[in-house]
Amino acid sequence: MPRTGGSRKKTKDAKQAAIFQPPASKGAKAYVKNLAEYEAIYKKSLENLEKFWGERAKQLLTWSKPWTKTLDYDFDEPRIEWFAGGKLNASVNCLDRHIVGARRNKVALIWQGDPEDDTRMWTYQMLYDRVCRCANALKNVGVRKGDRVVLYLPMIPEMVVAMLACTRIGAVHVQVFAGFSAASVQSRIQDCEAKVVITADGLFRAGRVIPLKANMDEALKDCPTVRRVIVVNRANMSTTMKERRDIWWRDLMADRSLNANFPAVQMDAEDLLFILYTSGSTGKPKGVMHSTGGYLTYAAYTMQYVFNHRDDDVHWCTADVGWITGHTYGVYGPLLLGGTTMMFEGGPRWPDPDRFWQIVEKYRVNTFYTAPTAIRTLIREGDEWLDRYDLSSLRVLGSVGEPIGPETWHWYHDKVGGGAIPLVDTWWQTETGGIMISPLPYATPLKPGSATRPLPGIDADLLREDGTQAGVGEEAHLVIRKPWPGMIRGIFRDAEKFKENYFSRFPGCYLSGDGAKRDEDGYFWLLGRLDDVINVSGHRFSTAEMEAAFNAHPAVAESSVVGMPHQLKGEAIYAFVRLNVDEKATEQLRADLRKWVRREIGPIATPEYIQFADSLPKTRSGKIIRRILRKIVSGQVDELGDLTALSDHGVIDRLIEECERLTGMSAIGRA
Ligand code: PRX
């Protein structure tokens, strides 16, 4: 792979793994040029948070009315208000301000379909035109400021148009990933009381067409708030359209009386921009609320700093827009900065496992952001799929969603990046709105497997169980001590859970739910969730939600779901199921249960293993001891810990034996 420039040194630290020095910044092109500069900015940012964020919000966004108070907050209530009194609109910031200048004819969106010859490119002017027409169309079907619009769409450009059209009206978009089942869509529509939903007839995946509207119809059987269903024709599938409720997107948009302008509604900084559901430690998904002024400031800031965004960059975030990563770094971040964003409908292995690299070469992608799970899959396919491509356009590589182990890190860095460009391992969450802990490309020396240090403005810390600060190398709770503009503003209609989940455990701090440790250089090493959340291929699942799905099956008496270490997925879903007394543990039932959970939650929640058990380890008060089950599935059977609370000791041996039989591996093999 040809590579020029880049005087990168690889130095071996005596105690630690290799440290990779950042490339020398090319003059003014780096936002933060070196480590000393990062440290100075970081220190200053925390000394005066309001000044730091006030400057960012002013520089990065266009406000129709300036704010009167930069920050007002109280983590105990909790209440968080950024830029109070300020007014702005998201789509104006993503579009209008660019089309009045030199970027009018710049490509805003490059779309690559699953079929290779299916591509579209829209300039800022073209995107503006479509967004305005769509906003008018949505208004015509009754969408108003504050209404919730659920988007259940594949990765097609209409997704971006619909999002921005909602924001133009002041409506709240609620994306539901197209891989979720009808039942999952239904519960989200019910929770947010959506007035309108936008979906597609079907979607392309690896050359196949998969129906989507049929799921939506199933979901809508019990969603009385939904008045209109807008359907994008993506796959030319025969589709049932319900009279007076359903309308094709193309018919809606073909209305020639639709105005190609739409005066954007000016929103208060704290007005709700979107809701995105994510899994927590309870059975019910949480509607994470993000604000207009704060979220947009944070999306633009992190996009600029972490990817060192340049005006002529082609940025490609491979995450689906149905997840927070796609929201912030597929759509809002790049468009706020007037950049060019790539959107890809397909996956990395179809038609061949070179698809990512072929696209990078085809569009000369400069900044590339993906998940370790995708990289792990591609490593398995062999280097020859990558070696044939010229990837020299790449300038920054990014990783997100789960820990990237050193082996994956090295392949990504050395093979994809030619060992010559920075790899930013970015830690953040749906709730944080944007990247929190990450290297800066020209400033931070890299240690494979570490997300390195918090961004300027982010006061990250590690606390022991008793709330005192953890020392070097100690595993502890990752918390954020001060508010930042992109942070969650609430859980939709559940103020109590908002407080309890994030602000109760350590008063005065935001609790991430993740464990981490810090080394002697202040680098953070993420260790995974400390609550009952599993991270499968970078996607979050609540074990409680999955248990509820299992328990709803007529054959199941009780269940317990835990994460099992998995080579490709990071973690895989492992379910222990106790059947009702008159049920037989057959392979057919196992297959039925697998199908059942896929239908209840979605194909992404397919359990890797379902183990039938005659009994589950419980405390004397009847609570399932999940810690023991986690140890069993990860092969740590010699470290089961204190078992005195256990009511039936024989249960453990039977569980271990069956686990070994099922996985075909001894504990040592799984560990
Ligand atoms: O456990 C952390 C893990 O993903 C969780 C957040 O998931 P979600 O809200 O779906 O957002 C994913 C995309 C931001 C975190 O609590 N996680 C995310 N990034 C990393 C990570 N774990 C380790 N290293 C990361 N870089």
Side-chain angles (χ1 to χ4, degrees):
M1 185 187 324
R3 251 243 203 245
T4 53
S7 53
R8 282 117 241 194
K9 288 191 294 302
K10 182 175 160 182
T11 52
K12 269 272 178 211
D13 185 79
K15 287 187 287 203
Q16 283 283 345
I19 296 180
F20 293 81
Q21 296 302 326
S25 72
K26 301 204 177 75
K29 280 193 163 179
Y31 287 99
V32 182
K33 296 183 194 61
N34 51 51
L35 190 61
E37 198 171 284
Y38 158 78
E39 276 168 351
I41 299 174
Y42 186 79
K43 186 163 175 281
K44 241 173 117 179
S45 73
L46 294 199
E47 279 165 6
N48 193 341
L49 266 190
E50 292 191 33
K51 182 165 182 287
F52 179 78
W53 289 117
E55 282 170 3
R56 301 272 110 47
K58 212 176 201 161
Q59 276 167 16
L60 292 163
L61 301 182
T62 301
W63 299 76
S64 60
K65 186 168 165 254
W67 60 89
T68 46
K69 193 160 174 46
T70 308
L71 172 63
D72 192 8
Y73 84 105
D74 179 348
F75 274 177
D76 293 329
E77 279 188 37
R79 176 174 50 83
I80 302 126
E81 262 182 82
W82 281 98
F83 315 121
K87 283 195 181 283
L88 77 167
N89 177 281
S91 89
V92 167
N93 274 278
C94 289
L95 301 170
D96 304 38
R97 60 183 183 151
H98 303 315
I99 60 168
V100 293
R103 295 195 183 111
R104 185 165 78 90
N105 293 322
K106 179 178 173 176
V107 174
L109 180 70
I110 302 175
W111 178 75
Q112 172 65 60
D114 191 48
E116 168 60 17
D117 54 3
D118 217 353
T119 64
R120 277 190 258 173
M121 280 189 209
W122 289 348
T123 63
Y124 272 94
Q125 181 69 55
M126 291 162 79
L127 187 56
Y128 170 84
D129 179 77
R130 281 162 174 80
V131 167
C132 285
R133 292 164 61 81
C134 181
N136 278 304
L138 289 178
K139 194 173 161 203
N140 287 349
V141 298
V143 177
R144 298 286 178 268
K145 185 179 175 198
D147 287 346
R148 273 81 59 206
V149 177
V150 162
L151 311 181
Y152 184 55
L153 282 165
M155 283 283 275
I156 51 176
E158 285 81 357
M159 173 108 111
V160 181
V161 173
M163 278 168 90
L164 294 179
C166 285
T167 69
R168 212 163 176 86
I169 300 175
V172 176
H173 59 75
V174 187
Q175 307 250 4
V176 180
F177 174 57
F180 275 120
S181 66
S184 299
V185 186
Q186 184 181 68
S187 66
R188 286 157 173 81
I189 293 176
Q190 286 170 343
D191 189 76
C192 75
E193 298 183 336
K195 191 182 208 178
V196 167
V197 302
I198 306 181
T199 187
D201 55 346
L203 57 90
F204 281 89
R205 178 112 337 133
R208 285 184 308 132
V209 176
I210 298 167
L212 201 60
K213 168 71 164 47
N215 280 0
M216 183 53 95
D217 286 339
E218 179 72 27
L220 291 178
K221 283 184 180 155
D222 189 19
C223 293
T225 58
V226 174
R227 293 209 214 133
R228 300 305 294 262
V229 179
I230 301 167
V231 188
V232 180
N233 173 15
R234 168 60 191 135
N236 281 331
M237 296 184 81
S238 83
T239 304
T240 328
M241 299 291 277
K242 189 169 169 186
E243 230 179 304
R244 286 196 296 275
R245 188 196 71 181
D246 301 357
I247 178 162
W248 287 102
W249 169 282
R250 65 165 177 246
D251 294 342
L252 203 65
M253 294 287 277
D255 180 352
R256 296 179 62 152
S257 68
L258 283 184
N259 200 323
N261 286 303
F262 184 103
V265 172
Q266 292 308 312
M267 307 289 282
D268 285 336
E270 279 299 323
D271 275 344
L272 188 53
L273 180 65
F274 65 84
I275 299 171
L276 187 59
Y277 284 87
T278 189
S279 297
S281 43
T282 57
K284 197 166 157 270
K286 305 178 283 193
V288 172
M289 302 203 288
H290 279 291
S291 71
T292 306
Y295 170 83
L296 294 176
T297 301
Y298 201 64
Y301 161 70
T302 50
M303 178 73 210
Q304 186 182 56
Y305 265 43
V306 175
F307 295 99
N308 204 81
H309 182 77
R310 295 176 187 168
D311 213 42
D312 57 356
D313 276 349
V314 173
H315 174 73
W316 181 17
C317 166
T318 69
D320 195 289
V321 177
W323 304 105
I324 190 69
T325 309
H327 278 60
T328 310
Y329 301 106
V331 179
Y332 285 113
L335 296 183
L336 285 167
L337 298 184
T340 300
T341 188
M342 258 288 312
M343 186 176 191
F344 176 43
E345 186 185 30
R349 291 168 64 222
W350 193 84
D352 287 310
D354 60 353
R355 197 74 196 276
F356 274 6
W357 322 126
Q358 179 248 337
I359 293 173
V360 168
E361 184 184 86
K362 181 175 174 184
Y363 297 101
R364 302 263 131 203
V365 171
N366 303 105
T367 49
F368 177 71
Y369 196 31
T370 196
T373 185
I375 300 294
R376 285 195 296 266
T377 309
L378 296 177
I379 293 176
R380 281 239 298 222
E381 301 286 348
D383 295 1
E384 63 275 18
W385 291 109
L386 169 125
D387 288 343
R388 68 181 75 159
Y389 293 100
D390 175 5
L391 306 181
S392 59
S393 58
L394 290 172
R395 194 171 46 74
V396 177
L397 299 175
S399 169
V400 59
E402 47 175 327
I404 175 166
E407 196 190 324
T408 312
W409 193 98
H410 276 290
W411 190 86
Y412 193 21
H413 180 262
D414 299 349
K415 295 283 175 194
V416 181
I421 57 172
L423 193 180
V424 293
D425 172 7
T426 62
W427 176 84
W428 60 295
Q429 312 175 291
T430 304
E431 294 89 337
T432 69
I435 297 165
M436 302 287 281
I437 302 180
S438 167
L440 295 176
Y442 301 99
T444 318
L446 305 175
K447 298 185 189 182
S450 169
T452 77
R453 296 169 67 171
L455 296 185
I458 301 303
D459 192 356
D461 207 349
L462 292 174
L463 300 183
R464 299 184 181 116
E465 294 294 331
D466 66 3
T468 56
Q469 194 179 46
V472 170
E474 248 182 87
E475 296 185 18
H477 294 269
L478 174 58
V479 300
I480 313 294
R481 288 187 175 279
K482 296 270 159 49
W484 65 101
M487 75 183 296
I488 178 173
R489 293 301 197 272
I491 294 176
F492 192 64
R493 296 199 175 145
D494 202 339
E496 209 173 294
K497 203 191 274 178
F498 180 48
K499 179 173 179 164
E500 186 192 308
N501 276 353
Y502 306 106
F503 302 101
S504 307
R505 179 71 182 78
F506 299 110
C509 292
Y510 165 87
L511 179 74
S512 71
D514 275 9
K517 55 186 179 180
R518 199 162 24 189
D519 69 17
E520 58 281 6
D521 296 324
Y523 277 44
F524 285 78
W525 298 77
L526 276 303
L527 302 167
R529 303 286 307 191
L530 295 175
D531 52 12
D532 292 331
V533 170
I534 316 184
N535 190 330
V536 183
S537 301
H539 297 148
R540 250 164 90 167
F541 291 97
S542 137
T543 52
E545 194 182 348
M546 252 163 323
E547 285 160 8
F550 273 109
N551 296 347
H553 190 282
V556 174
E558 63 176 352
S559 64
S560 186
V561 172
V562 293
M564 169 197 195
H566 188 277
Q567 267 197 334
L568 287 182
K569 300 177 180 175
E571 272 187 298
I573 297 166
Y574 198 114
F576 292 87
V577 171
R578 188 169 68 77
L579 297 173
N580 288 324
V581 271
D582 45 353
E583 295 289 345
K584 279 220 157 51
T586 61
E587 286 312 309
Q588 182 57 45
L589 180 55
R590 210 193 302 272
D592 286 352
L593 283 172
R594 183 168 279 124
K595 228 194 266 162
W596 172 272
V597 172
R598 281 170 66 92
R599 225 197 52 211
E600 287 288 300
I601 300 177
I604 42 171
T606 308
E608 198 76 14
Y609 294 105
I610 299 173
Q611 175 169 342
F612 294 122
D614 56 3
S615 160
L616 294 171
K618 288 190 181 162
T619 60
R620 289 198 172 84
S621 61
K623 205 169 167 274
I624 298 175
I625 315 177
R626 315 165 49 80
R627 169 181 58 83
I628 295 181
L629 297 174
R630 269 198 298 268
K631 295 267 183 197
I632 291 176
V633 302
S634 54
Q636 297 165 301
V637 292
D638 295 332
E639 302 162 33
L640 294 181
D642 182 8
L643 300 179
T644 44
L646 199 63
S647 59
D648 166 14
H649 282 256
V651 63
I652 302 289
D653 293 338
R654 295 197 297 280
L655 286 172
I656 294 174
E657 202 175 297
E658 175 61 9
C659 176
E660 291 188 350
R661 195 194 64 78
L662 197 63
T663 59
M665 259 185 283
S666 66
I668 297 163
R670 285 196 310 281

